[in-house]
Structures are given as C-alpha cells and as structure tokens.
Amino acid sequence: LGAGGNEFSITESSDDVTLASLISDKDMIFSVNDGGNAAEVFRLDGDVSALKMASGKQIQFADSGENISGDGTNLSINTGNDLIVAATNKVTIDAQGTDAGDGVSITLGTDNDLTGMELKNNSGAQVHKFDALGNAVHSGDLIVNGDFVVQGMTTTLTSSHLVIEDAIVGIGTSGSTAYAPASVGRGFIF
C-alpha cells in the first residue's frame, strides 16, 4: 500500500496479522477526528522503535479516571483508588537531576495519624510506618551511621536495659555552646 506501492503492508502468518511500515525510520501515526479537527493520539516511531503518545494524550484503563499521560516535562499516573506496583525483585525510583530541589516527594491525603506510608516485609507485617503527622514507628534495630540528634521537650526510653558504651556522658552540655548556665538543674532522679 502507499503512493509507491511499497510503504505499508498488511500480512498474515499462522493467523497473526502484521501491520508494517516498510520505509526505514518512518513513523506510523494514529490520528482521530476530535470535534472536527484531526488530532494525533499516538505514533509508532520508526527511528527509535517506540510507542509515543502525543503531548497531553492519555493511555486510559477501564475508564478515564485511570490513566497515564505526559506533556514533555512531567509524567502523570492517575487512579481513583490504589496504585499497585508489583515486582518480582525490587522497585527502583531514580530521581536524579541537576536542580537543588530534585528528589522524591510523596503527598499524603489527610493530615492525621491514620494516613501514612507503610513498609511491610514479605509476610505482610509492618516494619516501618510514617504517618501524616510526622510520627514514625520502626520495628527492629535502628542503626544510625552519623550523629543522632533529638530535638523536643522529652526523650522517653522504655527499653529493659540502657547500655551506654561512651566513656564520657555530659549532662548540662550543649555541643558548640559548651556548658549550660549554673542556674540550670542537673542530675539523675530515681
């Protein structure tokens, strides 16, 4: 098919139908009549062997509320309820860039302790949870390679035994500001 009779073919083999573009590095463009105007929805790019959605167009699943779309800058995945990513090994999010604000940002729906992000082991048991109030619950050992800084009014330890391996424990000291004023109380209460 085509002006020269050799640009496009439709063939059948073993009951499979093949649509093929026969000219090197040329695209197959799929357009529709959208309200009286021709609109490209997607193309099969012959130069890089890729399916390319036109800017702002969507791949929809089940209904228009579940879709994937891109505008050349951002990729959006929208769903009415849960987004489930299943992988045999691991899921990698690589958000490397060149701007100071690059990274991964997760926005939770409601500002309460019931809304959160959970990490579960293969048995389905919760290992770690962050909630929308900033609370974190972790099961198992927590190893901090670096300074452990606690800021707040009260630090509560409810372990059976407290073991301090440091040779010096400072009470009433404050890092670079040295010692607290003499008027500040110090000591242990039993």
Side-chain angles (χ1 to χ4, degrees):
L1 300 174
N6 63 348
E7 284 88 0
F8 178 71
S9 70
I10 302 173
T11 58
E12 178 272 334
S13 175
S14 301
D15 296 329
D16 293 328
V17 176
T18 300
L19 302 148
S21 175
L22 304 175
I23 305 298
S24 178
D25 297 336
K26 294 297 181 181
D27 299 349
M28 294 179 71
I29 301 170
F30 293 80
S31 296
V32 296
N33 186 325
D34 185 2
N37 298 310
E40 178 182 330
V41 178
F42 69 93
R43 68 176 57 209
L44 302 177
D45 191 311
D47 189 33
V48 292
S49 299
L51 168 64
K52 289 188 175 180
M53 296 298 296
S55 180
K57 304 303 181 191
Q58 300 175 349
I59 299 176
Q60 296 183 356
F61 303 89
D63 62 37
S64 60
E66 296 180 348
N67 60 70
I68 300 173
S69 65
D71 61 7
T73 302
N74 299 309
L75 177 67
S76 299
I77 301 175
N78 301 296
T79 179
N81 288 304
D82 298 339
L83 174 63
I84 300 170
V85 179
T88 303
N89 291 316
K90 64 181 178 179
V91 175
T92 301
I93 299 174
D94 187 348
Q96 296 183 31
T98 57
D99 299 328
D102 291 336
V104 177
S105 176
I106 298 174
T107 303
L108 300 174
T110 307
D111 296 340
N112 61 38
D113 60 352
L114 299 177
T115 303
M117 185 174 63
E118 287 185 314
L119 174 65
K120 295 183 178 182
N121 63 19
N122 196 43
S123 301
Q126 178 183 298
V127 176
H128 197 88
K129 179 182 178 182
F130 291 101
D131 69 33
L133 295 179
N135 301 313
V137 177
H138 180 79
S139 301
D141 295 341
L142 178 64
I143 299 172
V144 179
N145 291 321
D147 294 340
F148 184 62
V149 179
V150 179
Q151 296 177 335
M153 296 299 296
T154 305
T155 301
T156 304
L157 302 173
T158 58
S159 57
S160 299
H161 301 285
L162 172 63
V163 178
I164 300 173
E165 293 184 359
D166 293 325
I168 298 173
V169 176
I171 299 176
T173 62
S174 182
S176 62
T177 59
Y179 295 97
S183 60
V184 175
R186 300 172 177 82
F188 293 95
I189 298 174
F190 297 93

